[in-house]
Amino acid sequence: MTLLVLGAVAVMLIAALAALLLPDLLGALAAASVVSLALAVLFALLGAPDVALAEAVVGSGLSGVMFAMVLRRVGYQPADEEETGHDDAA
Amino acid sequence: MTPDLLSHLFSIASAALVAIGLFMLVRSHYLLRALLGLTLMEAGVNLFLVSVGYREGAAPPIAIDGQLPAVMVDPIPQALILTAIVIGVGVLGLALALALRLHQSEGTLWLPRLRRRAQSACSKEDAA
Amino acid sequence: MTMRRNLASLIFTVGLGLMLVSLMQGSHTAFPVEVGQNINAAGFADHGAANLVTSVVLGYRGLDTLGELTILFVAATAAGMVLGHCPGGSTPPVRGGFILATAAELLFPFLILLGAYIIIHGHLSPGGGFQGGAVIAAAYYVPLLAGSGRLFSEDTGSLIESLAGVGFIAIGLLALWGGGEFLAPLYSHNGAPGALLSAGTLPLLYLAVGLKVGSELASLLARLGGIGMEVDDDA
């Protein structure tokens, strides 16, 4: 139990850092889904199976799919980041 | 592991999630990445509230064969978070729809570019 | 310049995180209110639902759940307004391969079955209208993602959604008519606790919630995915 909690928390935090640091938005999106999945495991361990079910379906499933669909329609190009990422001081 | 250490662990984990999400929300140059930060913040808040209802060695608040377990976790934060997750996905859908509309009208979701465009629109209005 | 601003944001964020940790410490030690303990003691006898979370969501604070459904409804409607109405009928632009399409078709009935099971057993086991509704929405979306062409009908979706909303409020009004409060649980003590037909009106309320959440999320997904809309040229 304790080991599982520690493992889930570690996976969650590493995935959150990956979501922050990954330059590719699709990769960051996948990392955010992993955060939700680890969170669902954590909820189940915390005695909240209802919430775990909701988080697993909604957090790591539906919201990731929503993001991915919008990303596909918007046509995100990572190369844009180099172009405009550093001139926000203007 | 003592319950004290466990509660420390959950506070630190949820505060870290909120902080990472806030950092993404504030410092991102791309609108969708900022929204991703918002979902991470939401996850942190959810984890914190559920962990408040947790009691050491407590069972889920569900009766098995008509018998409730002797020690159960607090069901109220769970019910709260259950609705919060679903509201969260509704709000996320609305935000993504607005972002999509913004992309249709402005052609970009890069925040510096959008900001510059808004500023030039403002100065044009001032000049007029 | 950017470097310095990034550093400032980082310091601010770390400080905020530390402050949150110190604030959160207090909440874990003391039980601020006794409500949870009282519900744990009395909830099963009050509503006859084996799952106490269901008892809280629908029995003790059904009005909040109605408000939450309203928020979801407004969000889905606003998203539809912002994105414009899509007439439907055309196939999605990206097609998956044969294996993906076939697997998605095969998965569809099982996902619907799983969602229905989760909704109907919401008062007995973990799950309920919210989770099952989300599973049903996902079931409609998996074949769409694979491009196999099973389209979510917007008209049917909105019909189911309105009927479910009306049903939820009608059950609430029934309780009002019977002399209780709005959305008070009825017939709680008919049926053995833990049986499928127990807990009075709570499973019916959860069924309405599940249908409403499922159709709303499915229509939200269909709108965001641009199913049946022309692909914009600037993408």
Side-chain angles (χ1 to χ4, degrees):
Chain A
M1 160 77 192
T2 309
L3 219 61
L4 273 176
V5 167
L6 280 177
V9 168
V11 168
M12 190 179 75
L13 290 184
I14 290 170
L17 276 179
L20 175 66
L21 296 177
L22 276 179
D24 179 25
L25 189 51
L26 203 59
L29 184 54
S33 283
V34 173
V35 171
S36 278
L37 206 59
L39 197 61
V41 172
L42 215 49
F43 283 153
L45 293 174
L46 281 174
D50 290 88
V51 188
L53 203 52
E55 181 73 36
V57 175
V58 167
S60 54
L62 283 185
S63 57
V65 168
M66 276 185 185
F67 259 111
M69 284 186 316
V70 171
L71 204 56
R72 188 176 84 188
R73 286 183 76 188
V74 159
Y76 169 77
Q77 285 111 16
D80 264 6
E81 199 150 18
E82 265 76 54
E83 185 194 332
T84 50
H86 299 293
D87 61 356
D88 60 324
Chain B
M1 181 183 269
T2 61
D4 201 36
L5 201 59
L6 211 61
S7 69
H8 278 291
L9 180 70
F10 290 130
S11 326
I12 291 169
S14 38
L17 273 187
V18 170
I20 289 173
L22 187 71
F23 190 74
M24 268 174 98
L25 186 62
V26 174
R27 291 308 299 159
S28 293
H29 298 293
Y30 196 66
L31 189 57
L32 293 183
R33 198 181 274 273
L35 287 180
L36 207 58
L38 197 66
T39 62
L40 285 186
M41 279 180 83
E42 195 190 305
V45 172
N46 290 351
L47 174 62
F48 170 65
L49 282 175
V50 169
S51 73
V52 165
Y54 180 66
R55 295 287 163 277
E56 182 72 10
I62 294 168
I64 299 159
D65 299 329
Q67 286 292 314
L68 282 174
V71 187
M72 291 183 290
V73 298
D74 193 344
I76 293 180
Q78 293 190 20
L80 184 71
I81 294 310
L82 191 59
T83 51
I85 287 174
V86 179
I87 288 182
V89 78
V91 168
L92 178 71
L94 180 56
L96 285 174
L98 286 173
L100 208 53
R101 196 73 192 83
L102 190 67
H103 183 264
Q104 279 169 0
S105 67
E106 297 288 322
T108 180
L109 285 181
W110 289 94
L111 292 173
R113 210 177 278 175
L114 286 172
R115 210 172 291 140
R116 272 202 304 276
R117 210 167 285 182
Q119 270 169 1
S120 66
C122 268
S123 50
K124 238 178 255 169
E125 255 175 44
D126 285 345
Chain C
M1 183 68 186
T2 329
M3 191 67 207
R4 220 169 63 209
R5 277 180 64 177
N6 269 333
L7 199 66
S9 316
L10 195 65
I11 291 171
F12 170 72
T13 316
V14 169
L16 184 94
L18 289 178
M19 194 189 79
L20 279 178
V21 168
S22 59
L23 276 181
M24 284 167 178
Q25 288 306 314
S27 321
H28 283 285
T29 49
F31 222 143
V33 282
E34 304 271 305
V35 182
Q37 283 168 324
N38 290 340
I39 284 178
N40 272 346
F44 194 34
D46 274 357
H47 299 144
N51 187 349
L52 285 180
V53 177
T54 301
S55 194
V56 174
V57 166
L58 295 174
Y60 289 108
R61 23 157 285 195
L63 203 60
D64 282 4
T65 305
L66 183 60
E68 194 263 331
L69 289 178
T70 313
I71 292 179
L72 202 60
F73 173 70
V74 169
T77 313
M81 261 173 63
V82 166
L83 290 177
H85 185 72
C86 43
S90 69
T91 46
V94 178
R95 288 202 154 268
F98 169 73
I99 294 175
L100 197 63
T102 312
E105 284 283 316
L106 275 178
L107 212 53
F108 175 76
F110 291 108
L111 278 175
I112 292 283
L113 188 68
L114 177 68
Y117 176 87
I118 291 177
I119 292 175
I120 291 172
H121 286 75
H123 59 302
L124 301 177
S125 57
F130 295 110
Q131 298 94 328
V135 169
I136 286 182
Y140 269 100
Y141 218 74
V142 169
L144 277 183
L145 277 182
S148 66
R150 187 195 295 271
L151 281 176
F152 172 74
S153 159
E154 196 125 331
D155 294 336
T156 323
S158 62
L159 185 70
I160 291 174
E161 185 196 318
S162 346
L163 282 181
V166 168
F168 192 91
I169 294 175
I171 294 172
L173 287 177
L174 210 64
L176 199 64
W177 186 55
E181 287 156 11
F182 183 61
L183 279 173
L186 294 172
Y187 310 115
S188 296
H189 302 290
N190 292 11
L196 185 58
L197 290 177
S198 65
T201 48
L202 293 193
L204 290 178
L205 285 176
Y206 238 170
L207 184 64
V209 170
L211 290 177
K212 198 162 165 59
V213 168
S215 49
E216 262 157 17
L217 287 182
S219 70
L220 196 59
L221 280 167
R223 277 166 184 155
L224 279 179
I227 308 303
M229 296 170 82
E230 65 274 76
V231 185
D232 28 317
D233 297 324
D234 53 349

